[in-house]
């Protein structure tokens, strides 16, 4: 990873909606957000979004740069970079993304549309550890 990417990541702000948080409405953000509570509405973001294990989101549409889902999402999901549905996660809605990863033990009901974008990095030119680090958002931050 170049020094530029590291310094950009250090400047990003991480916000966490705790398990006691219930939010209704339109949410827009440019940094990173982890939802561990309940969300109803619409999310329009340029940053990264994580839906934690016990989170429940009902959306008209959820869009972000990358989205990692370990909880439950009902509604359409769009990510310019990638979508990852982790084991135990549930998505009922259509997904639109450039890259997708779906683990075992996932409940998915909908259609997937792949975006025609070139990845920033040749995935075959990096070590497996670098690739794994690039694919994991902050899944280990909140359990």
């Amino acid at each position: 990873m170049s020094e530029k990417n590291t310094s950009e990541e250090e400047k990003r702000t991480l916000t966490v909606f705790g398990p006691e948080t219930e939010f209704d409405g339109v949410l827009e953000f440019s940094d990173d957000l982890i939802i561990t509570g309940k969300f109803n509405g619409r999310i329009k973001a340029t940053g990264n979004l994580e839906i934690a294990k016990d989170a429940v989101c009902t959306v008209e549409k959820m869009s972000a740069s990358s989205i990692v889902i370990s909880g439950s999402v009902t509604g359409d999901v769009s990510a310019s970079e990638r979508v990852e549905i982790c084991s135990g996660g549930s998505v009922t809605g259509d997904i639109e993304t450039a890259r997708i990863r779906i683990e075992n033990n996932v409940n998915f009901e909908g259609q997937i549309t792949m975006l025609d974008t070139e990845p920033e990095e040749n995935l075959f030119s990096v070590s497996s550890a670098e690739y794994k680090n690039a694919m994991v958002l902050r899944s280990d931050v909140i359990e």
Side-chain angles (χ1 to χ4, degrees):
M1 205 175 246
S2 70
E3 288 182 24
K4 183 179 177 187
N5 288 342
T6 304
S7 64
E8 285 176 4
E9 287 177 11
E10 290 172 2
K11 293 178 185 177
R12 296 182 74 86
T13 302
L14 173 64
T15 302
V16 178
F17 281 6
E20 70 287 346
T21 304
E22 291 189 26
F23 187 98
D24 292 312
V26 177
L27 182 61
E28 295 185 24
F29 61 92
S30 58
D31 285 335
D32 298 340
L33 173 68
I34 299 174
I35 297 175
T36 63
K38 292 182 180 179
F39 179 88
N40 294 302
R42 183 178 181 91
I43 297 174
K44 184 178 181 183
T46 56
N48 301 315
L49 174 62
E50 181 173 344
I51 309 303
K53 186 171 84 171
D54 294 324
V56 177
C57 296
T58 304
V59 295
E60 174 187 321
K61 185 168 186 178
M62 169 187 295
S63 64
S65 179
S66 71
I67 301 173
V68 176
I69 301 168
S70 299
S72 172
V73 174
T74 302
D76 293 342
V77 175
S78 176
S80 58
E81 290 183 22
R82 70 182 178 92
V83 170
E84 179 177 348
I85 307 173
C86 301
S87 180
S90 172
V91 176
T92 303
D94 296 339
I95 296 175
E96 181 181 64
T97 187
R99 293 181 292 181
I100 189 159
R101 178 175 180 227
I102 301 176
E103 293 184 359
N104 293 331
N105 192 29
V106 163
N107 181 20
F108 172 65
E109 208 175 303
Q111 295 182 1
I112 298 173
T113 302
M114 300 303 294
L115 299 174
D116 291 330
T117 58
E118 291 293 320
E120 294 176 17
E121 195 167 342
N122 179 353
L123 299 178
F124 298 104
S125 70
V126 297
S127 73
S128 60
E130 288 175 314
Y131 176 72
K132 183 176 181 183
N133 286 337
M135 293 302 291
V136 174
L137 226 186
R138 290 185 166 71
S139 299
D140 296 329
V141 173
I142 299 197
E143 290 289 334

